[in-house]
Amino acid sequence: MYKYDSYDQAMVDARVEEFRDQVRRRLEGHITEDQFKPLRLMNGLYLQLHAYMLRVAVPYGTLNSAQMRMLGDIADKYDRGYGHFTTRQNIQYNWIKLEDAPDILADLAKVEMHAIQTSGNCIRNTTSDQYAGAVADEVVDPRPYAELIRQWSTFHPEFSFLPRKFKMAVIASDTDRAAMKLHDIGIQIVRDAAGELGAAFYVGGGMGRTPMIAPCINPFVPIDRMITYAEACLRVYNRHGRRDNKYKARIKILVHELGKDEYTRQVEAEFAHLLTQQIEPPLAELERIKAQFAEPPFEVGIADTVDRSDPDFALWVDNNCLPHKQAGYIAATISLKPVGGIPGDASADQIRLMADLARDYSFDELRVTHAQNIVLPHVKKADLYALWQQLEAAGLGTANLDLVGDIIACPGLDYCSLANARSIPVAQKIGQRLAVKQQEIGELKLKISGCINACGHHHAGHIGILGVDKKGTENYQLLLGGCEGADTSLGQITGPGFDEDGIVDAVEKATQFYLSQREEGERFLDTYRRIGMPAFKEAIYG
């Protein structure tokens, strides 16, 4: 896991003191809210419906027990005793007082954390595969490359005020566990026929008002030119991206309007120019970073089986655990989606418990997933039962990974000033309605957004729900057929929207129809793709 050097720490400490002075001036009335807004946004501080919200960066989702424990302590000390884990592998606090914000940032800096570039028109937190370094199907651990991107992009003077916010993801497997093609830039680390490492660049994806899947503009950029190529992609965007219309400001619109070929031509020309400028970080820096992501000291020759005599435990293992590349170990996912709970929320005590479990069972390491769960990436199979018992006692033992109860949901109108409808009550009602059927239904990814900004990734849900305002009332559109993996697809609206209870009924009808139509081995998505929208629409609307 990456550790700050003296430069990193000095940079973060200086930012804390700079923001402390900005907050003081705001509280004393020396600057207006309009003047203060861009300053607070650069430090992840939003003004929402009821209070300030602080978004804390968790680079590529990786953190240690001391950092996780601090997140729990902050929830108790400065919020209302909980935090909300987000789809950018971050954590948000929804009830922050402005006068406390500098102290929170100072506490974060003590454990090598910050809130820099979690907001604003800049390069946001770079996300990655939550199972990086644990699974056998990856070419390399992608996190050192994500860390290199973090260091290059933080405070980059040319990209501090882009036309719009900018999101990147890095993976190193053909199995896309980071929704890579739905990012402004998605990078897949690959090997060519000669075994050399390179980066495949996918540019122009995204959700929101105009969802698009990123095309591959270059299947192989040598790894020692990855940052230079990324800078070329951003320079072309910064040069031509729309600043006169925020609805057309994302890079996906530029790639679409220029066309993939013309955008690529301009990127290649810019890349050729930048190669003469020698802006790529030296390979020694990449090697320094990579050394900090060395494998933990796995034990060899240990038990490679799990005692499945407890049926509840066996169900959790089957649902929430992924095979590990090292014999005798497993990657365990902690679901933050209990039946009737708020997706992504965890209490301060639960956060601290997860920190302790990481320290005791997972080489002091945790991962935040873009699906709003937590992963312990390196757990001995012999320890799994003891781990699960502690999770179960704390309300964290729900066995529903990738099932219909594992719902992604944004905070919606309960918190967000941009939302048109509530997401949380809908998620809770669906989770309760279908809880007894989720094992029978099998893999079904359901995602809910409270507005068109798509923070809940509704376009990428096998079932997606979008809350909209319809003449002053909350209305919910139902989408089917989205997918965020290697076979990325965008969900399609079924038809007229529903009220809150109606959308819950509609989801139940869709799942019931799937169960009546599926063939052996088919997921919900497979059945939908085979028989198509008209059949599902008839079942839902009658």
Side-chain angles (χ1 to χ4, degrees):
M1 184 184 304
Y2 182 76
K3 298 293 183 183
Y4 279 13
D5 59 18
S6 58
Y7 178 83
D8 294 317
Q9 192 65 52
M11 179 179 69
V12 172
D13 290 342
R15 172 55 77 94
V16 172
E17 293 312 308
E18 177 185 66
F19 189 58
R20 189 182 297 280
D21 183 61
Q22 292 166 351
V23 169
R24 177 190 60 79
R25 287 186 287 139
R26 174 70 188 111
L27 291 171
E28 292 176 355
H30 299 308
I31 56 176
T32 66
E33 171 57 26
D34 286 343
Q35 293 169 326
F36 181 59
K37 181 178 179 180
L39 303 177
R40 63 172 168 78
L41 289 178
M42 286 191 284
N43 291 279
L45 192 66
Y46 289 75
L47 183 57
Q48 296 203 309
L49 283 177
H50 313 295
Y52 284 97
M53 178 272 280
L54 180 69
R55 180 180 296 145
V56 178
V58 184
Y60 36 89
T62 296
L63 67 170
N64 61 32
S65 63
Q67 293 169 328
M68 191 70 158
R69 175 165 287 277
M70 178 62 79
L71 296 180
D73 290 346
I74 287 172
D76 261 344
K77 186 176 180 181
Y78 301 106
D79 201 276
R80 295 186 174 181
Y82 70 95
H84 176 73
F85 291 93
T86 79
T87 55
R88 287 220 67 71
Q89 299 180 310
N90 291 325
I91 186 172
Q92 294 179 180
Y93 299 102
N94 291 311
W95 298 96
I96 299 302
K97 295 177 181 177
L98 177 57
E99 57 267 30
D100 290 337
D103 290 335
I104 300 174
L105 296 185
D107 285 349
L108 289 169
K110 295 173 185 175
V111 292
E112 302 181 2
M113 298 186 78
H114 60 75
I116 296 166
Q117 293 182 199
T118 59
S119 180
N121 293 338
C122 58
I123 300 172
R124 301 284 186 91
N125 192 47
T126 298
T127 58
S128 190
D129 186 343
Q130 65 265 25
Y131 300 118
V135 288
D137 66 353
E138 63 185 10
V139 172
V140 291
D141 186 336
R143 292 175 302 157
Y145 305 93
E147 172 60 27
L148 189 66
I149 290 170
R150 183 192 73 84
Q151 295 194 21
W152 157 75
S153 63
T154 302
F155 299 146
H156 194 303
E158 189 171 349
F159 307 137
S160 294
F161 293 96
L162 291 165
R164 197 71 172 86
K165 59 186 177 181
F166 203 90
K167 300 178 180 181
M168 300 178 69
V170 184
I171 64 172
S173 167
D174 287 336
T175 303
D176 180 6
R177 290 177 282 260
M180 180 264 296
K181 294 179 184 177
L182 294 171
H183 282 73
D184 297 287
I185 292 180
I187 295 174
Q188 181 181 353
I189 308 299
V190 296
R191 288 193 189 275
D192 65 11
E196 296 297 317
L197 277 180
F201 272 74
Y202 294 78
V203 181
M207 289 182 265
R209 186 175 299 272
T210 312
M212 293 185 184
I213 299 169
C216 182
I217 69 163
N218 193 323
F220 190 88
V221 176
I223 206 66
D224 60 351
R225 297 180 176 183
M226 180 187 74
I227 295 298
T228 304
Y229 201 85
E231 182 140 340
C233 292
L234 274 143
R235 280 193 172 196
V236 173
Y237 168 53
N238 209 17
R239 186 177 301 142
H240 299 303
R242 297 282 294 272
R243 284 183 162 84
D244 62 323
N245 186 335
K246 69 178 182 178
Y247 301 118
K248 296 183 178 181
R250 297 292 292 268
I251 193 173
K252 61 188 178 183
I253 303 299
L254 177 66
V255 174
H256 175 73
E257 292 187 348
L258 284 179
K260 170 194 166 184
D261 292 344
E262 174 58 20
Y263 174 76
T264 303
R265 185 194 68 76
Q266 293 194 32
V267 168
E268 293 292 338
E270 188 67 31
F271 178 55
H273 166 68
L274 290 175
L275 287 176
T276 69
Q277 307 301 303
Q278 298 182 336
I279 67 167
E280 189 76 25
L283 273 178
E285 175 61 12
L286 178 58
E287 293 304 315
R288 181 189 72 84
I289 292 171
K290 286 168 65 175
Q292 300 194 48
F293 290 88
E295 286 187 352
F298 295 122
E299 295 180 34
V300 296
I302 60 175
D304 197 32
T305 57
V306 174
D307 182 352
R308 301 171 56 86
S309 55
D310 184 328
D312 292 332
F313 169 63
L315 182 66
W316 180 80
V317 171
D318 290 342
N319 277 299
N320 286 42
C321 294
L322 192 77
H324 201 285
K325 66 181 181 181
Q326 179 69 31
Y329 288 82
I330 211 156
T333 298
I334 302 170
S335 172
L336 300 183
K337 320 286 180 59
V339 176
I342 298 174
D345 275 15
S347 71
D349 287 341
Q350 288 175 326
I351 293 171
R352 285 188 287 263
L353 173 66
M354 290 187 285
D356 292 343
L357 295 176
R359 178 198 62 206
D360 295 341
Y361 297 116
S362 188
F363 297 100
D364 203 41
E365 190 169 340
L366 309 99
R367 312 282 176 76
V368 184
T369 82
H370 85 276
Q372 300 176 286
N373 294 314
I374 304 295
V375 169
L376 299 179
H378 314 296
V379 181
K380 284 194 290 190
K381 290 182 178 180
D383 291 335
L384 267 181
Y385 190 66
L387 168 69
W388 172 76
Q389 286 181 306
Q390 293 182 69
L391 290 172
E392 187 76 354
L396 294 169
T398 307
N400 64 355
L401 182 64
D402 290 338
L403 302 182
V404 70
D406 185 18
I407 298 169
I408 288 178
C410 70
L413 196 54
D414 286 304
Y415 296 101
C416 183
S417 57
L418 299 177
N420 302 121
R422 294 172 298 165
S423 302
I424 292 171
V426 174
Q428 291 173 310
K429 288 182 178 181
I430 292 173
Q432 291 168 329
R433 176 81 65 89
L434 297 179
V436 296
K437 293 183 179 180
Q438 63 181 349
Q439 298 297 331
E440 178 187 5
I441 294 169
E443 182 184 326
L444 199 169
K445 298 183 179 181
L446 196 152
K447 309 178 192 296
I448 307 174
S449 299
C451 79
I452 197 65
N453 287 313
C455 293
H457 293 189
H458 65 276
H459 296 296
H462 299 173
I463 294 178
I465 296 171
L466 169 62
V468 299
D469 175 67
K470 186 176 182 180
K471 297 180 179 178
T473 62
E474 296 171 59
N475 188 262
Y476 297 90
Q477 295 177 348
L478 182 68
L479 295 83
L480 300 177
C483 180
E484 63 193 8
D487 56 344
T488 303
S489 58
L490 299 172
Q492 301 299 313
I493 297 174
T494 57
F498 303 88
D499 63 15
E500 186 174 301
D501 290 331
I503 193 65
V504 178
D505 292 339
V507 170
E508 184 175 35
K509 289 177 182 178
T511 58
Q512 284 296 107
F513 183 64
Y514 154 66
L515 291 174
S516 72
Q517 299 295 314
R518 69 177 174 185
E519 295 182 351
E520 186 175 355
E522 281 189 335
R523 305 168 297 166
F524 178 93
L525 182 63
D526 301 324
T527 300
Y528 171 79
R529 287 175 171 174
R530 176 173 56 83
I531 66 178
M533 174 67 83
F536 272 88
K537 187 172 182 177
E538 174 64 24
I540 293 166
Y541 292 95

